[in-house]
């Protein structure tokens, strides 16, 4: 007797019960303009009568988020991570929405979220890190998340620098 598997999970997201992503899926995401696309993966059940829990993120809010940044053009290479491999929050990212602290795509993509919500945000190059960049540019306005300050699950800082700066940000062939 062989048990037949109904659906194959190809990614860690699918293994965790979250939907996978294909170009066809991304086309169905909510379009926030300028190529920024968002999909709501999980929205927690909010306690009734707790107006603070149902409050959506808006400009001026100070937020703390956990994230994993994947490079779509590089077969999903992780370039920034705030959690260890088990999902424990190691170095969460804190910034003020609308204050030019985070890259524009992240800043716009989290607006409207509630506490505990999970989203997949597809950020185009035009709403990502400024170009060209160098190591010294991290920490300046509009450059969060900083991959150099990621969870140690990403690798050593020199690996991150080479992956991000040389392979992506300063690559003239990047879409």
């Amino acid at each position: 007797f062989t048990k037949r598997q109904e659906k194959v999970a190809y990614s860690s997201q699918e293994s965790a019960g979250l939907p996978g992503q294909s170009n066809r899926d991304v086309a169905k995401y909510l379009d926030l303009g300028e190529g920024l696309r968002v999909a709501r993966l999980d929205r927690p059940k909010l306690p009734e009568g707790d107006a603070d829990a149902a409050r959506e993120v808006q400009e001026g809010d100070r937020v703390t988020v956990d994230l994993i940044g994947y490079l779509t053009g590089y077969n999903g290479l992780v370039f920034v991570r705030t959690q260890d491999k088990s999902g424990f929050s190691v170095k969460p990212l804190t910034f003020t929405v609308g204050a030019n602290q985070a890259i524009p795509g992240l800043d716009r993509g989290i607006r409207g979220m509630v506490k505990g919500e999970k989203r997949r945000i597809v950020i185009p190059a035009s709403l990502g890190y400024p170009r060209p960049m160098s190591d010294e540019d991290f920490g300046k306005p509009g450059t969060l998340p900083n991959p150099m300050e990621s969870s140690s699950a990403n690798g050593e800082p020199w690996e991150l620098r080479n992956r991000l700066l040389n392979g992506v940000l300063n690559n003239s062939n990047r879409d």
Side-chain angles (χ1 to χ4, degrees):
F1 175 71
T2 305
K3 183 177 179 184
R4 184 170 168 226
Q5 187 171 357
E6 294 298 317
K7 185 175 180 187
V8 177
Y10 293 102
S11 68
S12 58
Q13 287 88 0
E14 291 171 305
S15 298
L18 298 173
Q21 174 177 307
S22 71
N23 288 338
R24 198 172 312 152
D25 294 329
V26 173
K28 297 176 188 173
Y29 288 6
L30 175 64
D31 187 351
L32 298 180
E34 298 181 68
L36 182 66
R37 295 188 171 276
V38 174
R40 181 181 291 153
L41 301 178
D42 183 39
R43 188 170 176 122
K45 291 187 179 187
L46 304 172
E48 297 212 13
D50 187 357
D52 194 43
R55 188 176 180 284
E56 295 184 346
V57 172
Q58 52 192 305
E59 187 164 340
D61 289 348
R62 185 124 177 107
V63 296
T64 299
V65 297
D66 272 313
L67 60 93
I68 301 174
Y70 297 93
L71 300 173
T72 57
Y74 287 80
N75 293 324
L77 178 71
V78 173
F79 73 94
V80 65
R81 174 188 297 269
T82 62
Q83 302 170 322
D84 65 14
K85 301 249 181 196
S86 70
F88 179 74
S89 181
V90 178
K91 293 188 175 190
L93 178 66
T94 301
F95 64 95
T96 302
V97 177
N100 194 30
Q101 295 173 344
I103 59 173
L106 179 62
D107 193 274
R108 287 176 42 193
I110 67 162
R111 294 176 192 209
M113 290 181 74
V114 296
K115 185 176 181 176
E117 182 176 337
K118 293 180 185 178
R119 282 189 180 180
R120 181 172 288 145
I121 305 171
V122 180
I123 301 173
S126 61
L127 296 176
Y129 293 99
R131 288 177 53 191
M133 271 190 82
S134 66
D135 291 346
E136 295 79 32
D137 292 328
F138 285 111
K140 291 182 179 175
T143 60
L144 289 176
N146 182 348
M148 306 304 193
E149 296 177 358
S150 282
S151 162
S152 61
N154 265 9
E156 296 300 318
W158 66 269
E159 291 176 289
L160 295 171
R161 183 182 69 243
N162 286 340
R163 276 192 235 161
L164 183 67
L165 289 175
N166 299 331
V168 181
L169 292 178
N170 297 325
N171 180 349
S172 61
N173 294 324
R174 187 181 88 165
D175 293 333

